Amino acid sequence: MLFPLVINFFMAVICYIITVRLIPRLKDKFIKANLFGIDMSKTTSDKIPESLGVVTGCTFLITMFLFIPVPFGNSLLYKANFPQDEFVKYIAALLSICCMLFLGFADDVLDVPWRHKLLLPTIASLPLLMVYYVSFNSTTVIVPKPLRDMFGTSVDIGLFYYLYMGMLAVFCTNAINILAGVNGLEVGQSVVIGLSIIIFNVIELFGNLSKAHQFSLYFMMPYVAASLALLKHNWYPSSVFVGDTFCYFSGMTFAVVAILGRFNKTALLFFIPQVFNFLYSAPQLFKLVPCPRHRLPKFNSKTDRMECSLVVFKYSEINVLGKLCLTIFRKLKLIQWKEKSDTIITNNFTLINLVLLYTGPLHEAKLTSYLIAIQVACSVLALIIRYPFAWIFYDV
Ligand code: UD1
Ligand code: MG
């Protein structure tokens, strides 16, 4: 079991070295291809190459392809014992990730509308769900001890389990993309999630599902390595932007290991800040409250600090549901509120703005560091929930 993992680790290190050198060399090519953005939080308006996540994705995929002979090499020599089912899992996982990388890149180039952003990951996750159906088809959920009198020890939720896994792929891909807008945040949060999954896999490596966790590690180590290389160039002050390509690629990689590594509920625990950001953003995402094209914090060039970005609207134009959300957010002190007759001025509903609301204006690098610290703290919380807490509620 250890040999392929050790090889995978060294291949991940090589993947990091190649990616970190490749990115600066390809920057000009991206600008020539009109793939660039302007950093809205800087005084200069230099062209910053965008969608460099595609380079990370490609070096990751190449590493994964080159790795195939390592776990399957022995079986290739003795064809009769070739583990077809393991191989199909590996290939389907790569297919889903590859599809999402392609769709993410298409999104960066063509600017796909929002509703399609929900559809694309659903379709890209189908090969994965098929393999899950053929290999495991386990749709049983263990009931927590306090509810066992009502529901029994376990409940088979059938089709809903597949619905949940499909939604997990959609959520993972989009949740990272909407917690974005300050240098290094998209990749920073993804690296923390990736490292948290690695820690969890290592803890579980000697448990009953060791094969599944080993499978997850094969993907996670090269993923984290390639992403760290991107982070080096995307950290403040960013010399490249990651693009939606990276967010989609990351989200799908997490969904793949969660589903085929058989920890799709634990995986969601590593997304606590993203779940919060999604719920907090929901009134704007579902257009109950106006949602500008960009919700990233506002840069104050005089102080070199980031401030909450604001949204202005007429209270009378908001529907009942929107008004209810606004009231709840105000009661929970999640938003600032300025009222001038019918006109309301409040902050955009993102976790980034919420941090700024409580800390006051911050330098961009410090803001990213705070948000990454929140992600790390939530991962620690996730492991506490998964272990000491789970021992209270389940027979583990
Ligand atoms: C998502 C967010 C949007 C946020 C944007 C920033 C939602 C619904 N959408 O949109 O609010 O403004 O991400 O990435 O929440 N940029 C910077 N600095 C950075 C990163 C990005 O200025 O550190 C700017 C650049 O101009 C870059 C652009 O954002 O070109 C990329 O935005 P894009 O990824 O296309 O936005 P969305 O993912 O659609
Ligand atoms: Mg984006």
Side-chain angles (χ1 to χ4, degrees), residues 116-176:
H116 295 166
K117 293 192 186 194
L118 299 184
L119 194 68
L120 299 180
T122 318
I123 293 172
S125 65
L126 284 181
L128 211 63
L129 299 187
M130 287 285 287
V131 172
Y132 187 88
Y133 179 74
V134 176
S135 311
F136 315 116
N137 194 23
S138 150
T139 50
T140 311
V141 181
I142 308 292
V143 178
K145 280 182 205 164
L147 301 176
R148 283 188 188 166
D149 286 346
M150 251 188 293
F151 300 103
T153 322
S154 61
V155 181
D156 187 357
I157 56 171
L159 201 64
F160 288 105
Y161 203 90
Y162 285 92
L163 206 64
Y164 165 76
M165 289 192 287
M167 279 165 66
L168 185 73
V170 178
F171 174 78
C172 290
T173 47
N174 286 290
I176 297 172

Short mmCIF file of all heavy atoms in Angstrom, two decimals, residues 116-176:
data_model
loop_
_atom_site.label_atom_id
_atom_site.label_comp_id
_atom_site.label_asym_id
_atom_site.label_seq_id
_atom_site.Cartn_x
_atom_site.Cartn_y
_atom_site.Cartn_z
N HIS A 116 -26.37 27.95 -16.67
CA HIS A 116 -25.56 26.89 -17.27
C HIS A 116 -24.45 26.46 -16.32
O HIS A 116 -24.01 25.32 -16.36
CB HIS A 116 -24.94 27.35 -18.60
CG HIS A 116 -25.99 27.61 -19.64
ND1 HIS A 116 -25.75 28.28 -20.80
CD2 HIS A 116 -27.30 27.26 -19.67
CE1 HIS A 116 -26.86 28.35 -21.50
NE2 HIS A 116 -27.81 27.75 -20.82
N LYS A 117 -24.03 27.39 -15.45
CA LYS A 117 -22.98 27.04 -14.51
C LYS A 117 -23.47 25.96 -13.55
O LYS A 117 -22.69 25.24 -12.95
CB LYS A 117 -22.55 28.27 -13.70
CG LYS A 117 -21.86 29.30 -14.55
CD LYS A 117 -21.19 30.36 -13.71
CE LYS A 117 -20.65 31.44 -14.61
NZ LYS A 117 -19.72 32.33 -14.00
N LEU A 118 -24.80 25.88 -13.38
CA LEU A 118 -25.36 24.84 -12.53
C LEU A 118 -25.49 23.52 -13.29
O LEU A 118 -25.31 22.44 -12.74
CB LEU A 118 -26.74 25.26 -12.01
CG LEU A 118 -26.77 26.52 -11.15
CD1 LEU A 118 -28.17 26.77 -10.62
CD2 LEU A 118 -25.81 26.41 -9.96
N LEU A 119 -25.79 23.66 -14.59
CA LEU A 119 -26.04 22.48 -15.41
C LEU A 119 -24.75 21.72 -15.73
O LEU A 119 -24.70 20.49 -15.68
CB LEU A 119 -26.72 22.93 -16.72
CG LEU A 119 -27.35 21.85 -17.56
CD1 LEU A 119 -28.55 21.27 -16.84
CD2 LEU A 119 -27.78 22.40 -18.91
N LEU A 120 -23.67 22.49 -16.03
CA LEU A 120 -22.43 21.86 -16.49
C LEU A 120 -21.85 20.84 -15.50
O LEU A 120 -21.56 19.71 -15.87
CB LEU A 120 -21.38 22.94 -16.84
CG LEU A 120 -21.79 23.91 -17.95
CD1 LEU A 120 -20.69 24.93 -18.20
CD2 LEU A 120 -22.12 23.17 -19.22
N PRO A 121 -21.68 21.21 -14.20
CA PRO A 121 -21.14 20.21 -13.28
C PRO A 121 -22.05 19.00 -13.10
O PRO A 121 -21.57 17.90 -12.88
CB PRO A 121 -21.00 20.96 -11.95
CG PRO A 121 -21.29 22.37 -12.22
CD PRO A 121 -21.91 22.50 -13.56
N THR A 122 -23.38 19.22 -13.20
CA THR A 122 -24.30 18.08 -13.05
C THR A 122 -24.01 17.05 -14.13
O THR A 122 -23.93 15.85 -13.87
CB THR A 122 -25.78 18.55 -13.21
OG1 THR A 122 -25.93 19.77 -12.52
CG2 THR A 122 -26.75 17.54 -12.71
N ILE A 123 -23.84 17.54 -15.37
CA ILE A 123 -23.58 16.62 -16.48
C ILE A 123 -22.20 15.98 -16.33
O ILE A 123 -22.04 14.77 -16.51
CB ILE A 123 -23.72 17.36 -17.82
CG1 ILE A 123 -25.19 17.76 -17.99
CG2 ILE A 123 -23.27 16.50 -18.98
CD1 ILE A 123 -25.47 18.64 -19.16
N ALA A 124 -21.21 16.79 -15.92
CA ALA A 124 -19.85 16.26 -15.80
C ALA A 124 -19.75 15.22 -14.69
O ALA A 124 -18.82 14.41 -14.69
CB ALA A 124 -18.86 17.39 -15.56
N SER A 125 -20.70 15.23 -13.74
CA SER A 125 -20.60 14.25 -12.64
C SER A 125 -21.30 12.93 -12.99
O SER A 125 -21.21 11.97 -12.22
CB SER A 125 -21.20 14.84 -11.36
OG SER A 125 -22.57 15.05 -11.52
N LEU A 126 -21.98 12.86 -14.14
CA LEU A 126 -22.72 11.63 -14.48
C LEU A 126 -21.83 10.39 -14.57
O LEU A 126 -22.18 9.35 -14.02
CB LEU A 126 -23.54 11.81 -15.77
CG LEU A 126 -24.82 12.64 -15.60
CD1 LEU A 126 -25.57 12.75 -16.92
CD2 LEU A 126 -25.73 12.03 -14.55
N PRO A 127 -20.65 10.46 -15.25
CA PRO A 127 -19.80 9.26 -15.30
C PRO A 127 -19.46 8.75 -13.90
O PRO A 127 -19.44 7.56 -13.63
CB PRO A 127 -18.53 9.72 -16.01
CG PRO A 127 -18.82 11.04 -16.60
CD PRO A 127 -20.06 11.59 -15.98
N LEU A 128 -19.26 9.71 -13.01
CA LEU A 128 -18.90 9.40 -11.64
C LEU A 128 -20.02 8.64 -10.91
O LEU A 128 -19.80 7.64 -10.24
CB LEU A 128 -18.71 10.75 -10.96
CG LEU A 128 -17.74 10.89 -9.87
CD1 LEU A 128 -16.37 10.59 -10.41
CD2 LEU A 128 -17.78 12.33 -9.36
N LEU A 129 -21.25 9.16 -11.09
CA LEU A 129 -22.39 8.55 -10.42
C LEU A 129 -22.66 7.15 -10.99
O LEU A 129 -23.05 6.24 -10.26
CB LEU A 129 -23.64 9.44 -10.56
CG LEU A 129 -23.50 10.83 -9.94
CD1 LEU A 129 -24.82 11.59 -9.98
CD2 LEU A 129 -23.02 10.76 -8.49
N MET A 130 -22.42 7.00 -12.30
CA MET A 130 -22.58 5.68 -12.93
C MET A 130 -21.62 4.67 -12.27
O MET A 130 -22.02 3.56 -11.93
CB MET A 130 -22.23 5.75 -14.42
CG MET A 130 -23.25 6.45 -15.27
SD MET A 130 -24.67 5.44 -15.54
CE MET A 130 -24.01 4.23 -16.68
N VAL A 131 -20.36 5.10 -12.11
CA VAL A 131 -19.36 4.20 -11.53
C VAL A 131 -19.73 3.89 -10.08
O VAL A 131 -19.61 2.75 -9.62
CB VAL A 131 -17.95 4.83 -11.60
CG1 VAL A 131 -16.95 3.99 -10.83
CG2 VAL A 131 -17.50 4.95 -13.03
N TYR A 132 -20.23 4.90 -9.37
CA TYR A 132 -20.66 4.68 -7.98
C TYR A 132 -21.77 3.63 -7.94
O TYR A 132 -21.77 2.71 -7.13
CB TYR A 132 -21.14 6.00 -7.35
CG TYR A 132 -21.44 5.87 -5.87
CD1 TYR A 132 -20.44 6.05 -4.93
CD2 TYR A 132 -22.71 5.53 -5.44
CE1 TYR A 132 -20.71 5.90 -3.58
CE2 TYR A 132 -22.99 5.38 -4.09
CZ TYR A 132 -21.98 5.58 -3.17
OH TYR A 132 -22.24 5.43 -1.82
N TYR A 133 -22.72 3.78 -8.91
CA TYR A 133 -23.86 2.86 -8.97
C TYR A 133 -23.38 1.43 -9.19
O TYR A 133 -23.79 0.49 -8.52
CB TYR A 133 -24.79 3.31 -10.10
CG TYR A 133 -26.00 2.41 -10.28
CD1 TYR A 133 -27.04 2.45 -9.37
CD2 TYR A 133 -26.07 1.52 -11.35
CE1 TYR A 133 -28.13 1.62 -9.51
CE2 TYR A 133 -27.15 0.70 -11.51
CZ TYR A 133 -28.19 0.74 -10.59
OH TYR A 133 -29.26 -0.09 -10.72
N VAL A 134 -22.45 1.27 -10.17
CA VAL A 134 -21.97 -0.07 -10.52
C VAL A 134 -21.09 -0.64 -9.40
O VAL A 134 -21.20 -1.81 -9.06
CB VAL A 134 -21.19 -0.02 -11.86
CG1 VAL A 134 -20.60 -1.37 -12.19
CG2 VAL A 134 -22.10 0.46 -12.97
N SER A 135 -20.22 0.21 -8.81
CA SER A 135 -19.25 -0.31 -7.84
C SER A 135 -19.83 -0.49 -6.44
O SER A 135 -19.60 -1.49 -5.81
CB SER A 135 -18.05 0.63 -7.71
OG SER A 135 -17.56 0.97 -8.94
N PHE A 136 -20.54 0.52 -5.95
CA PHE A 136 -21.00 0.45 -4.55
C PHE A 136 -22.52 0.37 -4.46
O PHE A 136 -23.06 -0.48 -3.79
CB PHE A 136 -20.54 1.69 -3.76
CG PHE A 136 -19.11 2.09 -3.99
CD1 PHE A 136 -18.79 3.31 -4.58
CD2 PHE A 136 -18.08 1.25 -3.60
CE1 PHE A 136 -17.47 3.68 -4.77
CE2 PHE A 136 -16.76 1.63 -3.78
CZ PHE A 136 -16.44 2.84 -4.37
N ASN A 137 -23.20 1.28 -5.14
CA ASN A 137 -24.65 1.46 -5.03
C ASN A 137 -25.14 1.41 -3.59
O ASN A 137 -26.19 0.87 -3.29
CB ASN A 137 -25.40 0.44 -5.90
CG ASN A 137 -26.85 0.84 -6.05
OD1 ASN A 137 -27.19 2.02 -5.90
ND2 ASN A 137 -27.73 -0.11 -6.31
N SER A 138 -24.34 1.97 -2.68
CA SER A 138 -24.79 2.00 -1.30
C SER A 138 -25.47 3.34 -1.06
O SER A 138 -24.84 4.39 -1.21
CB SER A 138 -23.57 1.82 -0.39
OG SER A 138 -23.78 2.49 0.81
N THR A 139 -26.74 3.29 -0.75
CA THR A 139 -27.50 4.54 -0.57
C THR A 139 -28.09 4.60 0.84
O THR A 139 -29.10 5.24 1.08
CB THR A 139 -28.61 4.66 -1.63
OG1 THR A 139 -29.35 3.45 -1.63
CG2 THR A 139 -28.05 4.90 -3.01
N THR A 140 -27.42 3.88 1.74
CA THR A 140 -27.92 3.80 3.11
C THR A 140 -27.24 4.85 3.98
O THR A 140 -26.04 5.06 3.87
CB THR A 140 -27.61 2.39 3.69
OG1 THR A 140 -28.05 1.45 2.73
CG2 THR A 140 -28.29 2.16 5.00
N VAL A 141 -28.03 5.50 4.81
CA VAL A 141 -27.48 6.50 5.72
C VAL A 141 -27.64 5.96 7.15
O VAL A 141 -28.73 5.48 7.51
CB VAL A 141 -28.24 7.84 5.59
CG1 VAL A 141 -27.66 8.88 6.52
CG2 VAL A 141 -28.20 8.34 4.17
N ILE A 142 -26.55 6.03 7.92
CA ILE A 142 -26.64 5.57 9.33
C ILE A 142 -27.32 6.67 10.14
O ILE A 142 -26.96 7.85 10.04
CB ILE A 142 -25.22 5.31 9.90
CG1 ILE A 142 -24.41 4.38 8.97
CG2 ILE A 142 -25.28 4.75 11.33
CD1 ILE A 142 -24.91 2.96 8.88
N VAL A 143 -28.30 6.27 10.93
CA VAL A 143 -29.08 7.25 11.71
C VAL A 143 -28.35 7.54 13.04
O VAL A 143 -27.88 6.60 13.70
CB VAL A 143 -30.50 6.70 11.98
CG1 VAL A 143 -31.32 7.65 12.82
CG2 VAL A 143 -31.20 6.37 10.67
N PRO A 144 -28.24 8.83 13.44
CA PRO A 144 -27.62 9.14 14.73
C PRO A 144 -28.39 8.48 15.88
O PRO A 144 -29.62 8.33 15.80
CB PRO A 144 -27.72 10.67 14.83
CG PRO A 144 -28.03 11.14 13.45
CD PRO A 144 -28.67 10.02 12.72
N LYS A 145 -27.66 8.11 16.95
CA LYS A 145 -28.27 7.35 18.07
C LYS A 145 -29.59 7.94 18.59
O LYS A 145 -30.55 7.21 18.76
CB LYS A 145 -27.25 7.23 19.21
CG LYS A 145 -26.22 6.16 19.00
CD LYS A 145 -25.31 6.10 20.21
CE LYS A 145 -23.96 5.52 19.86
NZ LYS A 145 -22.97 5.79 20.89
N PRO A 146 -29.67 9.29 18.84
CA PRO A 146 -30.92 9.82 19.43
C PRO A 146 -32.16 9.63 18.55
O PRO A 146 -33.27 9.65 19.05
CB PRO A 146 -30.62 11.32 19.61
CG PRO A 146 -29.14 11.44 19.49
CD PRO A 146 -28.65 10.31 18.68
N LEU A 147 -31.95 9.44 17.22
CA LEU A 147 -33.12 9.33 16.33
C LEU A 147 -33.47 7.88 15.98
O LEU A 147 -34.36 7.62 15.18
CB LEU A 147 -32.86 10.12 15.03
CG LEU A 147 -32.57 11.61 15.18
CD1 LEU A 147 -32.25 12.23 13.83
CD2 LEU A 147 -33.78 12.33 15.78
N ARG A 148 -32.73 6.92 16.58
CA ARG A 148 -32.89 5.53 16.16
C ARG A 148 -34.23 4.93 16.55
O ARG A 148 -34.73 4.03 15.87
CB ARG A 148 -31.73 4.67 16.69
CG ARG A 148 -30.51 4.93 15.85
CD ARG A 148 -29.37 4.03 16.14
NE ARG A 148 -28.22 4.53 15.38
CZ ARG A 148 -26.99 4.16 15.57
NH1 ARG A 148 -26.72 3.26 16.49
NH2 ARG A 148 -26.02 4.66 14.86
N ASP A 149 -34.86 5.43 17.62
CA ASP A 149 -36.18 4.91 18.01
C ASP A 149 -37.18 5.18 16.91
O ASP A 149 -38.08 4.38 16.65
CB ASP A 149 -36.64 5.59 19.31
CG ASP A 149 -35.86 5.05 20.50
OD1 ASP A 149 -35.21 4.00 20.29
OD2 ASP A 149 -35.88 5.67 21.57
N MET A 150 -37.01 6.32 16.25
CA MET A 150 -37.96 6.73 15.21
C MET A 150 -37.68 6.07 13.86
O MET A 150 -38.57 5.58 13.19
CB MET A 150 -37.88 8.25 15.03
CG MET A 150 -39.09 8.98 15.57
SD MET A 150 -39.04 10.71 15.14
CE MET A 150 -37.68 11.34 16.05
N PHE A 151 -36.38 6.08 13.46
CA PHE A 151 -36.04 5.64 12.09
C PHE A 151 -35.31 4.30 12.00
O PHE A 151 -35.07 3.80 10.92
CB PHE A 151 -35.15 6.70 11.42
CG PHE A 151 -35.81 8.04 11.30
CD1 PHE A 151 -35.47 9.09 12.15
CD2 PHE A 151 -36.78 8.27 10.33
CE1 PHE A 151 -36.07 10.33 12.04
CE2 PHE A 151 -37.38 9.52 10.21
CZ PHE A 151 -37.02 10.55 11.06
N GLY A 152 -34.88 3.74 13.12
CA GLY A 152 -34.07 2.51 13.07
C GLY A 152 -32.59 2.87 12.93
O GLY A 152 -32.24 4.04 12.95
N THR A 153 -31.75 1.84 12.77
CA THR A 153 -30.30 2.08 12.75
C THR A 153 -29.86 2.75 11.46
O THR A 153 -28.97 3.59 11.45
CB THR A 153 -29.54 0.74 12.89
OG1 THR A 153 -30.25 -0.07 13.79
CG2 THR A 153 -28.12 0.93 13.36
N SER A 154 -30.48 2.34 10.34
CA SER A 154 -30.08 2.95 9.06
C SER A 154 -31.30 3.13 8.16
O SER A 154 -32.30 2.42 8.31
CB SER A 154 -29.04 2.08 8.37
OG SER A 154 -29.60 0.82 8.13
N VAL A 155 -31.19 4.10 7.23
CA VAL A 155 -32.30 4.35 6.30
C VAL A 155 -31.73 4.34 4.89
O VAL A 155 -30.68 4.93 4.62
CB VAL A 155 -32.93 5.75 6.57
CG1 VAL A 155 -34.10 6.00 5.62
CG2 VAL A 155 -33.37 5.89 8.00
N ASP A 156 -32.46 3.63 3.99
CA ASP A 156 -32.03 3.62 2.59
C ASP A 156 -32.75 4.77 1.89
O ASP A 156 -33.96 4.75 1.74
CB ASP A 156 -32.40 2.28 1.95
CG ASP A 156 -31.81 2.16 0.56
OD1 ASP A 156 -31.17 3.15 0.10
OD2 ASP A 156 -31.98 1.11 -0.07
N ILE A 157 -31.99 5.80 1.46
CA ILE A 157 -32.66 6.97 0.87
C ILE A 157 -32.64 6.91 -0.67
O ILE A 157 -33.08 7.83 -1.33
CB ILE A 157 -32.08 8.31 1.38
CG1 ILE A 157 -30.57 8.41 1.13
CG2 ILE A 157 -32.42 8.53 2.84
CD1 ILE A 157 -30.00 9.80 1.41
N GLY A 158 -32.13 5.80 -1.22
CA GLY A 158 -32.22 5.52 -2.66
C GLY A 158 -31.78 6.65 -3.56
O GLY A 158 -30.66 7.16 -3.46
N LEU A 159 -32.73 7.06 -4.41
CA LEU A 159 -32.42 8.07 -5.45
C LEU A 159 -31.92 9.39 -4.84
O LEU A 159 -31.09 10.09 -5.44
CB LEU A 159 -33.70 8.32 -6.26
CG LEU A 159 -33.50 8.92 -7.65
CD1 LEU A 159 -32.72 7.96 -8.53
CD2 LEU A 159 -34.84 9.26 -8.27
N PHE A 160 -32.42 9.72 -3.64
CA PHE A 160 -32.02 10.99 -3.00
C PHE A 160 -30.52 11.04 -2.74
O PHE A 160 -29.91 12.10 -2.74
CB PHE A 160 -32.78 11.21 -1.68
CG PHE A 160 -34.22 11.54 -1.92
CD1 PHE A 160 -35.21 10.60 -1.69
CD2 PHE A 160 -34.59 12.79 -2.39
CE1 PHE A 160 -36.54 10.89 -1.93
CE2 PHE A 160 -35.92 13.10 -2.63
CZ PHE A 160 -36.89 12.15 -2.40
N TYR A 161 -29.94 9.85 -2.52
CA TYR A 161 -28.50 9.79 -2.28
C TYR A 161 -27.75 10.24 -3.53
O TYR A 161 -26.77 10.98 -3.46
CB TYR A 161 -28.11 8.35 -1.92
CG TYR A 161 -26.83 8.25 -1.15
CD1 TYR A 161 -26.82 8.29 0.24
CD2 TYR A 161 -25.60 8.11 -1.80
CE1 TYR A 161 -25.65 8.20 0.95
CE2 TYR A 161 -24.42 8.02 -1.09
CZ TYR A 161 -24.45 8.06 0.28
OH TYR A 161 -23.28 7.98 0.99
N TYR A 162 -28.26 9.81 -4.70
CA TYR A 162 -27.63 10.21 -5.97
C TYR A 162 -27.85 11.70 -6.22
O TYR A 162 -26.97 12.39 -6.72
CB TYR A 162 -28.17 9.36 -7.14
CG TYR A 162 -27.57 7.97 -7.11
CD1 TYR A 162 -28.21 6.93 -6.45
CD2 TYR A 162 -26.33 7.72 -7.68
CE1 TYR A 162 -27.64 5.68 -6.38
CE2 TYR A 162 -25.75 6.47 -7.61
CZ TYR A 162 -26.41 5.46 -6.96
OH TYR A 162 -25.83 4.22 -6.88
N LEU A 163 -29.04 12.15 -5.86
CA LEU A 163 -29.35 13.58 -6.00
C LEU A 163 -28.38 14.41 -5.16
O LEU A 163 -27.83 15.42 -5.61
CB LEU A 163 -30.79 13.81 -5.52
CG LEU A 163 -31.52 15.00 -6.12
CD1 LEU A 163 -31.71 14.78 -7.61
CD2 LEU A 163 -32.87 15.20 -5.44
N TYR A 164 -28.14 13.93 -3.93
CA TYR A 164 -27.21 14.63 -3.03
C TYR A 164 -25.82 14.68 -3.66
O TYR A 164 -25.16 15.72 -3.66
CB TYR A 164 -27.17 13.92 -1.66
CG TYR A 164 -25.99 14.36 -0.81
CD1 TYR A 164 -25.99 15.59 -0.16
CD2 TYR A 164 -24.86 13.54 -0.69
CE1 TYR A 164 -24.90 16.00 0.59
CE2 TYR A 164 -23.76 13.95 0.06
CZ TYR A 164 -23.79 15.18 0.70
OH TYR A 164 -22.70 15.59 1.42
N MET A 165 -25.36 13.54 -4.22
CA MET A 165 -24.00 13.50 -4.78
C MET A 165 -23.89 14.41 -6.01
O MET A 165 -22.89 15.09 -6.20
CB MET A 165 -23.60 12.06 -5.12
CG MET A 165 -23.37 11.23 -3.87
SD MET A 165 -22.59 9.66 -4.20
CE MET A 165 -23.93 8.78 -4.94
N GLY A 166 -24.95 14.45 -6.82
CA GLY A 166 -24.96 15.34 -7.99
C GLY A 166 -24.89 16.79 -7.53
O GLY A 166 -24.14 17.61 -8.07
N MET A 167 -25.68 17.09 -6.47
CA MET A 167 -25.70 18.47 -5.95
C MET A 167 -24.37 18.83 -5.31
O MET A 167 -23.95 19.99 -5.35
CB MET A 167 -26.84 18.64 -4.95
CG MET A 167 -28.17 18.87 -5.65
SD MET A 167 -29.56 18.65 -4.58
CE MET A 167 -29.35 19.96 -3.44
N LEU A 168 -23.68 17.83 -4.75
CA LEU A 168 -22.37 18.08 -4.14
C LEU A 168 -21.39 18.58 -5.20
O LEU A 168 -20.64 19.52 -4.97
CB LEU A 168 -21.84 16.78 -3.51
CG LEU A 168 -20.55 16.90 -2.73
CD1 LEU A 168 -20.78 17.61 -1.40
CD2 LEU A 168 -19.91 15.53 -2.47
N ALA A 169 -21.46 17.95 -6.39
CA ALA A 169 -20.56 18.37 -7.48
C ALA A 169 -20.89 19.81 -7.89
O ALA A 169 -19.98 20.64 -8.08
CB ALA A 169 -20.71 17.43 -8.66
N VAL A 170 -22.18 20.14 -8.00
CA VAL A 170 -22.58 21.50 -8.38
C VAL A 170 -22.14 22.49 -7.31
O VAL A 170 -21.60 23.56 -7.60
CB VAL A 170 -24.12 21.59 -8.56
CG1 VAL A 170 -24.54 22.99 -8.92
CG2 VAL A 170 -24.59 20.61 -9.61
N PHE A 171 -22.36 22.10 -6.05
CA PHE A 171 -22.01 23.00 -4.95
C PHE A 171 -20.51 23.25 -4.90
O PHE A 171 -20.07 24.40 -4.86
CB PHE A 171 -22.51 22.42 -3.61
CG PHE A 171 -22.06 23.25 -2.44
CD1 PHE A 171 -22.70 24.43 -2.14
CD2 PHE A 171 -20.97 22.87 -1.68
CE1 PHE A 171 -22.27 25.22 -1.10
CE2 PHE A 171 -20.53 23.65 -0.64
CZ PHE A 171 -21.18 24.84 -0.34
N CYS A 172 -19.71 22.16 -4.92
CA CYS A 172 -18.25 22.32 -4.77
C CYS A 172 -17.69 23.23 -5.86
O CYS A 172 -16.85 24.08 -5.59
CB CYS A 172 -17.55 20.97 -4.85
SG CYS A 172 -17.87 19.93 -3.44
N THR A 173 -18.16 23.06 -7.09
CA THR A 173 -17.60 23.85 -8.19
C THR A 173 -17.96 25.33 -8.05
O THR A 173 -17.11 26.19 -8.25
CB THR A 173 -18.10 23.32 -9.55
OG1 THR A 173 -19.49 23.13 -9.47
CG2 THR A 173 -17.43 22.04 -9.94
N ASN A 174 -19.21 25.61 -7.70
CA ASN A 174 -19.63 27.02 -7.65
C ASN A 174 -19.26 27.72 -6.34
O ASN A 174 -19.04 28.93 -6.33
CB ASN A 174 -21.13 27.14 -7.89
CG ASN A 174 -21.47 26.91 -9.34
OD1 ASN A 174 -21.17 27.74 -10.19
ND2 ASN A 174 -22.04 25.76 -9.66
N ALA A 175 -19.19 26.95 -5.24
CA ALA A 175 -18.98 27.58 -3.93
C ALA A 175 -17.61 28.23 -3.84
O ALA A 175 -17.46 29.28 -3.22
CB ALA A 175 -19.13 26.54 -2.82
N ILE A 176 -16.60 27.62 -4.48
CA ILE A 176 -15.26 28.22 -4.44
C ILE A 176 -15.26 29.48 -5.31
O ILE A 176 -14.69 30.50 -4.94
CB ILE A 176 -14.20 27.20 -4.92
CG1 ILE A 176 -14.18 26.01 -3.96
CG2 ILE A 176 -12.82 27.84 -5.03
CD1 ILE A 176 -13.33 24.84 -4.39
#
